[in-house]
Amino acid sequence: MADDIGVATAPGPVPLSDRVDELGTIKETAREGLDPAATERQHAKGKLTARERIDLLLDPGTFQEVEQLRRHRAVGFGLEAKKPYTDGVITGWGTVEGRTVFVYAHDFRIFGGALGEAHATKIHKIMDMAIAAGAPLVSLNDGAGARIQEGVSALAGYGGIFQRNTRASGVIPQISVMLGPCAGGAAYSPALTDFVFMVRETSQMFITGPDVVRAVTGEEITQNGLGGADVHAETSGVAHFAYDDEETCLAEVRYLLSMLPQNNRELPPRRLGDDAPDRTTEALLDVVPADPSHIYDIRQVIEEIVDDGEYFEIHSGWATNIVCALGRLDGDVVGVVANQPASYAGVLDIQSSEKAARFVQFCDAFNIPLVTLVDVPGFLPGVDQEHNGIIRRGAKLLYAYCNATVPRVSLVLRKAYGGAYIVMDSRSIGADLSLAWPSNEIAVMGAEGAANVIFRREINAADDPEAVREQKIKEYKAELMHPYYAAERGLVDDVIDPRETRSVLIRSLAMLRAKHADLPSRKHGNPPQ
């Protein structure tokens, strides 16, 4: 007789060589799948197969698969007649630039990548292995959600994934790569991970799809319009990165992994280049305009400071009034948080506060020092901001900085006004070093606003109110906003030459490398929501 893949079986002992041949046949079937046309259909959609994706993610020849021969045991609705190997998910580990990385990839060719009990158990196992081994976990998502034929067992499988995502949070880096549809409860696993990558046109994420939206609200919208890559990278903030093709996307995942530690007990990998640590940054004298109302791109400052001008920006399309990026200073990875005067004058608002808070928390969890570049006019005023909770949501950034124990250096480039100055890692909330350029203006508010408040009666009573207003503005600037006012009071540790910014930051972080700070004993904090 023959089994369900056509391999002959017979009673009695079978030579080991025959068993090896049989094993080869079975594994080949598991790799190729039972339907060759499924691969063609995947390619026709402009998508790679799960194994092709794993090959791009990991170093060549390093992938070690786990539970390749797993098959489901469900019955009913025709499932008992279809039991493909892998059950629609490929799990295992390999290396990225020589360092161990665990991965699972939905295989859309099998059950549309839908999650059943056996499928979920495989994912649970590889997640447990990643946590135990202390190595990053990458999920390559391309699935149709819960396997309807298996009912509540499939839903319970998602619960197990969510629980492990939460347990791994802050312990190992978790990266979700969206390469196809991700709907319903399945979307919450990526939301629990550290970073979400998406590919334009082929990946979507939403809790309820266009058909449900149409039935409930009457709104007409496409899948990409509802939950495509650009929507989540620019509007919702769910996705940190969006790319045009899978090859570029997976190459960028590899690049991100090269800057992250394996787990929360290690430091990020150090990579020395040719960029001298004492290099002067002459260009910075011209990049930042002296007039605090003139705009410029803070990315130019970051490029001048970091090694070889290279950095990896997080959430570049969302909350653009603040820049969060990973870069290197003298080979060591740092997290940079910087106000962006080229977008909404660099004000803090709800979205930028939440974006920066999450980034600060990530850096703190994984031993990445923080450099904060400050040029902020304040918090964005407005009814929408207040009604949508700028108080509690803006407090997230304050909480993240106050709770961070990694080395922290802040640098005031130009203006730093009001509560936003405090929130942007000021000395008063725990920055280890607070530096400033001689162009800094640290104050409760801008001189114009301050003069109008303090000298309102005097200005209104004057024969020439405008002349008096200008005079009072100059007085306020001279008294309270000169570049050395904060330094004279010990709130700024040093006012530095902008050309020495890179070398000063490198020396400061080298001094802080062995920093140790203990938080109060507690189960966990209760951050603002």
Side-chain angles (χ1 to χ4, degrees):
M1 64 179 181
D3 66 12
D4 57 358
I5 63 166
V7 177
T9 59
V14 178
L16 183 57
S17 59
D18 290 351
R19 288 298 189 192
V20 171
D21 292 341
E22 179 185 31
L23 175 63
T25 301
I26 291 173
K27 288 200 168 188
E28 180 66 18
T29 301
R31 284 190 296 268
E32 297 301 322
L34 295 176
D35 181 8
T39 299
E40 296 176 9
R41 289 193 295 270
Q42 185 80 345
H43 288 162
K45 297 175 183 176
K47 296 161 64 175
L48 301 174
T49 66
R51 294 186 185 278
E52 289 169 340
R53 291 163 175 166
I54 291 172
D55 287 343
L56 287 174
L57 173 67
L58 300 177
D59 297 336
T62 65
F63 181 56
Q64 177 64 52
E65 192 167 351
V66 175
E67 293 196 357
Q68 183 185 52
L69 305 184
R70 187 72 178 256
R71 299 198 285 188
H72 72 78
R73 296 174 292 181
V75 296
F77 304 101
L79 284 179
E80 64 276 7
K82 189 176 182 182
K83 295 187 175 183
Y85 292 114
T86 75
D87 199 47
V89 65
I90 301 166
T91 59
W93 77 89
T95 64
V96 172
E97 298 191 0
R99 299 191 302 154
T100 300
V101 172
F102 288 82
V103 61
Y104 69 86
H106 300 296
D107 190 343
F108 198 83
R109 303 174 308 165
I110 298 174
F111 297 129
L115 182 139
E117 184 179 18
H119 182 121
T121 302
K122 288 181 65 175
I123 295 175
H124 297 168
K125 179 172 183 175
I126 210 67
M127 295 179 79
D128 290 339
M129 291 175 69
I131 296 169
L137 174 71
V138 178
S139 62
L140 306 180
N141 298 272
D142 185 8
R147 196 173 299 170
I148 299 172
Q149 300 94 321
E150 295 194 33
V152 72
S153 296
L155 296 179
Y158 275 122
I161 294 173
F162 303 157
Q163 191 268 341
R164 287 166 174 82
N165 284 139
T166 304
R167 187 153 52 92
S169 181
V171 178
I172 58 171
Q174 299 180 84
I175 298 174
S176 297
V177 188
M178 315 311 296
L179 301 166
C182 184
Y188 281 114
S189 177
L192 290 168
T193 60
D194 298 307
F195 298 105
V196 176
F197 288 71
M198 294 188 74
V199 176
R200 295 183 177 95
E201 301 303 324
T202 58
S203 65
Q204 303 89 27
M205 297 173 66
F206 34 69
I207 298 301
T208 55
D211 292 342
V212 176
V213 170
R214 186 184 308 111
V216 174
T217 70
E219 296 172 284
E220 293 285 345
I221 193 165
T222 64
Q223 287 195 345
N224 282 319
L226 182 63
D230 287 328
V231 167
H232 287 311
E234 298 173 9
T235 304
S236 72
V238 170
H240 300 77
F241 311 96
Y243 299 100
D244 291 331
D245 57 78
E246 294 189 18
E247 291 84 355
T248 303
C249 180
L250 292 169
E252 294 295 275
V253 174
R254 285 177 58 89
Y255 181 57
L256 175 58
L257 286 167
S258 75
M259 304 187 80
L260 303 181
Q262 291 292 90
N263 54 63
N264 64 342
R265 301 183 303 276
E266 298 183 7
L267 295 175
R270 191 165 196 251
R271 291 189 178 173
L272 285 172
D274 298 325
D275 201 348
D278 57 352
R279 169 174 58 82
T280 57
T281 51
E282 295 284 343
L284 291 181
L285 293 178
D286 301 317
V287 167
V288 180
D291 188 332
S293 65
H294 287 185
I295 66 171
Y296 65 95
D297 191 341
I298 194 66
R299 295 182 183 93
Q300 293 178 272
V301 176
I302 298 172
E303 287 175 8
E304 287 296 322
I305 294 171
V306 298
D307 292 356
D308 303 310
E310 292 184 3
Y311 63 93
F312 193 50
E313 188 173 353
I314 314 297
H315 259 148
S316 63
W318 181 64
T320 54
N321 42 326
I322 203 160
V323 172
C324 299
L326 293 170
R328 282 190 167 88
L329 285 172
D330 196 26
D332 290 317
V333 177
V334 297
V336 179
V337 179
N339 304 113
Q340 174 58 293
S343 177
Y344 300 102
V347 295
L348 285 177
D349 60 3
I350 287 171
Q351 291 187 341
S352 61
S353 296
E354 293 187 330
K355 168 181 168 178
R358 188 86 194 286
F359 181 70
V360 168
Q361 288 172 175
F362 175 82
C363 290
D364 186 50
F366 290 104
N367 309 310
I368 300 173
L370 288 161
V371 173
T372 304
L373 305 179
V374 185
D375 190 348
V376 61
F379 279 93
L380 179 65
V383 174
D384 285 347
Q385 289 288 305
E386 297 295 345
H387 286 187
N388 286 308
I390 184 61
I391 294 173
R392 63 180 175 83
R393 295 166 76 178
K396 293 181 182 182
L397 180 54
L398 181 61
Y399 187 98
Y401 269 126
C402 290
N403 204 46
T405 60
V406 292
R408 292 156 51 189
V409 179
S410 66
L411 172 63
V412 180
L413 307 183
R414 212 168 50 166
K415 57 189 177 296
Y417 297 158
Y421 153 68
I422 301 172
V423 170
M424 288 297 295
D425 205 20
S426 64
R427 180 71 178 274
S428 60
I429 66 169
D432 297 296
L433 283 174
S434 180
L435 308 171
W437 283 359
S439 52
N440 81 82
E441 292 184 355
I442 303 174
V444 174
M445 63 176 66
E448 292 80 2
N452 288 336
V453 171
I454 298 172
F455 305 109
R456 180 188 299 111
R457 291 182 181 178
E458 192 174 341
I459 291 171
N460 291 338
D463 293 334
D464 188 348
E466 282 304 315
V468 173
R469 179 181 288 108
E470 288 300 318
Q471 175 191 346
K472 296 304 180 183
I473 289 172
K474 290 179 181 178
E475 288 179 12
Y476 186 83
K477 284 185 175 181
E479 285 290 322
L480 297 176
M481 292 183 66
H482 63 79
Y484 311 105
Y485 184 83
E488 290 171 359
R489 283 149 183 80
L491 297 174
V492 166
D493 293 293
D494 196 11
V495 180
I496 67 172
D497 184 335
R499 295 171 295 184
E500 298 176 356
T501 300
R502 171 176 163 83
S503 59
V504 170
L505 289 174
I506 288 172
R507 291 197 302 271
S508 299
L509 292 172
M511 175 273 295
L512 291 165
R513 189 169 291 131
K515 173 187 174 182
H516 177 75
D518 288 320
L519 292 173
S521 177
R522 59 185 176 185
K523 188 174 182 180
H524 56 74
N526 187 24
Q529 297 298 322

